[in-house]
């Protein structure tokens, strides 16, 4: 977060430990990725700002293999439709609509961008006579699903910019997945209309949760599925998220 390269390893996790917890992964993940089951991946804390992140940044090709091949398409879709997850998305949507009503009381129509919209549950929920919601999605598999189901979405920032500026941008469980979260926040800031709203949700990795995960792993046990250095590259606490947002002028 601060740009320093001075980090200390909090814990190293074997690939088989976190793969075992993810029910969406195919059994042949090892062959697809060309790695050994006992390959180790560190979680690192910056000595300067204490931000926690994946110590070995996967290549774009590696990440594409994870999301397009290792994750089974049907299992991923089934999980995305889980009622608890949809309820979580709808709660975020309710917060956003109330915020829009308060911030833009006299606007007639609203433009909203769901950045990293997945299978489009929030785009569908927000779209209506007075709200035009557009999704942005980089996954080819998910984008094909969105287009097959008539859900408005794009996979290029240039196309998204043409639809803006937006009264609100949603980052629902996205920042933890990207290699440069500050750059993404800057992109979202530039897509917002004056006084626009940014809604951010990430897993809460406060110090107590990280400590519990470290204690488990030192005993050879891994129970927290969200500690996954392939998919979750950043581990935010409320404090670190607040600092990053403020540093980007949000």
């Amino acid at each position: 977060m601060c740009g320093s390269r001075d980090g200390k390893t909090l814990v190293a996790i074997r690939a088989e430990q976190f793969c075992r917890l993810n029910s969406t992964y195919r059994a042949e993940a090892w062959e697809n990725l060309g790695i050994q089951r006992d390959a180790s991946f560190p979680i690192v804390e910056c000595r300067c700002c204490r931000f926690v992140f994946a110590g070995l940044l996967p290549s774009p090709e590696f990440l594409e293999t994870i999301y397009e091949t290792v994750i089974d398409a049907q299992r991923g879709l089934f999980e995305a439709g889980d009622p608890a997850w949809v309820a979580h998305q709808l709660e975020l949507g309710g917060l956003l609509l109330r915020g829009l009503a308060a911030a833009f009381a006299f606007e007639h129509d609203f433009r909203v961008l769901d950045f990293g919209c997945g299978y489009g549950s929030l785009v569908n929920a927000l779209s209506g006579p007075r709200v035009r919601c557009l999704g942005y999605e980089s996954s080819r598999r998910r984008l094909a699903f969105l287009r097959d189901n008539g859900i408005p979405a794009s996979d290029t920032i240039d196309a998204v910019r043409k639809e803006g500026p937006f009264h609100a941008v949603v980052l629902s469980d996205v920042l933890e997945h990207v290699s440069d979260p500050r750059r993404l926040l800057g992109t979202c800031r530039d897509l917002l209309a004056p006084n626009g709203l940014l809604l951010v949700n990430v897993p809460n990795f406060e110090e107590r949760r990280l400590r519990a995960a470290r204690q488990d792993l030192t005993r050879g046990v891994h129970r927290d599925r969200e500690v996954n250095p392939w998919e979750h590259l950043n581990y935010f606490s409320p404090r670190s998220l607040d600092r990053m947002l403020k540093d980007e002028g949000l």
Side-chain angles (χ1 to χ4, degrees):
M1 181 162 61
C2 67
S4 171
R5 295 182 178 273
D6 185 13
K8 64 177 181 180
T9 298
L10 297 178
V11 67
I13 314 175
R14 297 192 312 277
E16 64 176 349
Q17 289 180 295
F18 55 84
C19 284
R20 193 184 309 123
L21 289 183
N22 197 316
S23 60
T24 67
Y25 283 4
R26 295 180 185 273
E28 62 271 22
W30 319 104
E31 291 80 2
N32 292 327
L33 293 167
I35 64 170
Q36 299 297 317
R37 291 173 180 263
D38 60 353
S40 183
F41 296 85
I43 302 294
V44 173
E45 181 182 69
C46 176
R47 295 182 189 273
C48 298
C49 68
R50 299 192 66 188
F51 188 63
V52 178
F53 54 97
L56 292 177
L57 184 64
S59 69
E61 294 78 17
F62 189 95
L63 290 175
E64 183 177 10
T65 302
I66 291 289
Y67 290 109
E68 303 297 330
T69 304
V70 170
I71 295 177
D72 181 88
Q74 291 303 313
R75 294 178 195 167
L77 179 59
F78 181 80
E79 191 170 89
D82 180 78
W85 173 253
V86 176
H88 160 70
Q89 295 288 87
L90 294 177
E91 288 170 1
L92 295 178
L95 286 172
L96 182 68
L97 291 176
R98 286 191 289 272
L100 284 172
F104 299 99
F106 301 105
E107 290 283 344
H108 180 68
D109 296 309
F110 299 99
R111 295 181 302 279
V112 176
L113 173 66
D114 185 4
F115 197 107
C117 66
Y119 289 98
S121 59
L122 193 56
V123 177
N124 272 334
L126 292 176
S127 297
R130 292 188 56 190
V131 178
R132 169 170 166 71
C133 189
L134 174 71
Y136 170 85
E137 181 55 57
S138 59
S139 165
R140 296 194 312 272
R141 176 192 295 168
R142 293 177 179 178
L143 194 66
F145 175 89
L146 295 167
R147 289 174 174 169
D148 288 346
N149 287 274
I151 301 171
S154 177
D155 62 345
T156 70
I157 299 298
D158 287 341
V160 167
R161 284 197 179 97
K162 293 178 182 178
E163 300 291 332
F166 296 91
H167 295 90
V169 174
V170 179
L171 289 172
S172 172
D173 297 76
V174 172
L175 276 187
E176 68 271 25
H177 293 276
V178 300
S179 60
D180 193 342
R182 291 190 64 161
R183 182 178 180 183
L184 176 54
L185 287 173
T187 298
C188 292
R189 181 193 59 227
D190 295 342
L191 290 168
L192 283 170
N195 300 316
L197 305 179
L198 177 67
L199 188 152
V200 179
N201 186 83
V202 294
N204 181 3
F205 274 95
E206 59 182 350
E207 185 176 348
R208 180 173 53 184
R209 183 176 181 182
L210 281 171
R211 184 168 60 248
R214 290 176 67 188
Q215 290 172 347
D216 280 347
L217 286 162
T218 55
R219 296 194 296 264
V221 179
H222 187 33
R223 291 184 287 194
D224 194 333
R225 174 178 167 174
E226 291 186 324
V227 181
N228 179 333
W230 291 350
E231 294 188 52
H232 288 182
L233 308 181
N234 309 295
Y235 295 84
F236 290 95
S237 67
R239 182 177 179 180
S240 65
L241 178 61
D242 184 63
R243 176 180 172 183
M244 187 178 287
L245 289 165
K246 288 177 178 176
D247 285 349
E248 290 304 314
L250 293 159

